[in-house]
Amino acid sequence: MVRGIVEKGDKEAAVQNVKQVKVYPLSESGSPKPNKFVSMSGKVSDTTPPMGMAYWELLSAFINNNPVQERDRFYMAMLKPLGIEKGKPFQPDARQKAILDEAARIGDAMGRVMLFDGPERFSNTHAFAGAQWHWLILVEADQETESYSQVDERLHYTYGAIYTSPAIGVTKAGPGSQYVQTFKDKAGNRLDGGKSYRLHVPADVPAEAFWSVTAYDTATRSMIQNPSNDAARSSYDKMKFNTDGSIDLYLGPKAPAGLESNWIETVPGKGFYPMFRFYTPKAGLFDGTWKLPDIELVN
């Protein structure tokens, strides 16, 4: 999956940049075959894992089709008694299927708790003093610390996201990206798609390339599916700024009059959570000189 950044509204240039990417076996580097590109724009893509037995069947197929990573060897040992082992078919009997079906659903619930409440279990998770915002990336690229493997931190991140790399979650100014997310408003209440909120973004956002805010569905951990088919705002968008260079963004089912350009539509009856991205972050994000305030409920 390759994402193209649209600059100055030029979508075609972004598409052409994406198509410059070449992926091929190293053995074919002398004369690689052309890649086939499939645009996902306007298409529905369900990236959530299946529930019940379908989950275990997919896991078994994945293990059999991929090399075992060193960091996953203990997990391979834990899966072996369940009948999932590399190079062997997965053939559970009726009793095992009933147990595994329930286990997959409980595991999904555990992952959900770890995503939404996990940061409270770890240290150094708050991005800004006194605010509800947490760092999204609480796991190292190799998923190890000096004294232990990051099991819970790994689950916290991967339950809400799909992939990681050393460039995601950099903790210093320079190339790369850093994200923060929150699941609660200033009063400590969970965010409700049927209510309206304001996010005040101070001037001089510490992002040299650009910044963005995206609203995600708590049920799917994917971008919210709203009637406007638009779940994000970024510094590339044309929005109304305050005289001091700050900006007020609004998240709710209805746009404030005259501020439609600053609005992300939410869906009544669904929970959501926003993620704020900083691309090529600046020092102000880490040294305390810039702070993103909490989301506030508005009438």
Side-chain angles (χ1 to χ4, degrees):
M1 180 172 64
V2 183
R3 292 172 176 169
I5 303 300
V6 178
E7 295 183 332
K8 299 180 181 179
D10 193 344
K11 296 181 181 179
E12 185 56 34
V15 171
Q16 292 307 313
N17 281 336
V18 166
K19 290 187 175 181
Q20 298 303 309
V21 176
K22 304 297 182 185
V23 182
Y24 46 83
L26 184 60
S27 60
E28 298 179 8
S29 58
S31 181
K33 299 174 184 177
N35 289 151
K36 177 183 178 181
F37 290 88
V38 179
S39 173
M40 293 305 296
S41 297
K43 295 182 174 63
V44 176
S45 177
D46 185 356
T47 60
T48 55
M51 296 291 288
M53 277 304 301
Y55 169 79
W56 300 106
E57 291 165 353
L58 183 64
L59 178 61
S60 176
F62 183 87
I63 289 172
N64 275 314
N65 291 328
N66 289 275
V68 175
Q69 300 293 327
E70 185 67 25
R71 63 174 180 263
D72 293 329
R73 291 177 60 82
F74 270 101
Y75 289 100
M76 296 300 104
M78 295 167 69
L79 290 170
K80 186 177 178 181
L82 305 183
I84 297 178
E85 187 174 358
K86 188 170 181 62
K88 295 185 178 181
F90 179 44
Q91 298 174 327
D93 59 26
R95 173 180 171 276
Q96 290 171 319
K97 287 181 179 179
I99 295 172
L100 291 170
D101 183 87
E102 181 183 15
R105 299 177 193 282
I106 292 175
D108 181 77
M110 292 171 64
R112 192 173 300 277
V113 170
M114 189 57 67
L115 171 62
F116 298 130
D117 291 332
E120 306 304 329
R121 299 165 55 107
F122 313 136
S123 59
N124 301 318
T125 63
H126 286 274
F128 312 105
Q132 302 281 359
W133 294 94
H134 294 94
W135 299 114
L136 170 68
I137 313 296
L138 303 175
V139 62
E140 299 296 329
D142 62 1
Q143 303 170 10
E144 298 288 338
T145 71
E146 184 177 348
S147 57
Y148 68 91
S149 298
Q150 294 179 299
V151 177
D152 287 349
E153 294 91 339
R154 183 196 301 200
L155 177 57
H156 162 76
Y157 176 72
T158 55
Y159 187 81
I162 294 176
Y163 69 93
T164 186
S165 85
I168 298 177
V170 296
T171 55
K172 61 181 180 180
S177 61
Q178 181 58 269
Y179 311 151
V180 298
Q181 60 187 3
T182 185
F183 309 113
K184 300 176 181 178
D185 64 14
K186 185 176 182 179
N189 297 315
R190 301 285 181 179
L191 299 171
D192 183 340
K195 298 179 180 179
S196 296
Y197 302 88
R198 178 179 61 247
L199 171 60
H200 179 73
V201 182
D204 302 319
V205 177
E208 185 174 333
F210 73 100
W211 58 263
S212 69
V213 181
T214 306
Y216 290 87
D217 187 322
T218 54
T220 64
R221 292 95 69 204
S222 296
M223 290 185 288
I224 55 174
Q225 300 294 300
N226 53 27
S228 58
N229 193 33
D230 190 353
R233 286 292 176 269
S234 81
S235 53
Y236 283 126
D237 294 327
K238 293 181 179 179
M239 297 178 287
K240 292 185 178 180
F241 284 78
N242 302 317
T243 55
D244 64 353
S246 66
I247 186 171
D248 291 311
L249 300 177
Y250 296 87
L251 301 97
K254 293 184 179 180
L259 290 169
E260 291 80 2
S261 62
N262 293 33
W263 169 63
I264 297 175
E265 183 180 13
T266 60
V267 181
K270 288 184 174 292
F272 75 94
Y273 61 99
M275 186 183 296
F276 200 110
R277 290 175 164 89
F278 304 81
Y279 289 95
T280 311
K282 296 181 179 180
L285 179 60
F286 309 106
D287 62 15
T289 57
W290 189 90
K291 176 181 177 180
L292 186 64
D294 283 324
I295 291 177
E296 297 187 64
L297 183 67
V298 296
N299 296 323

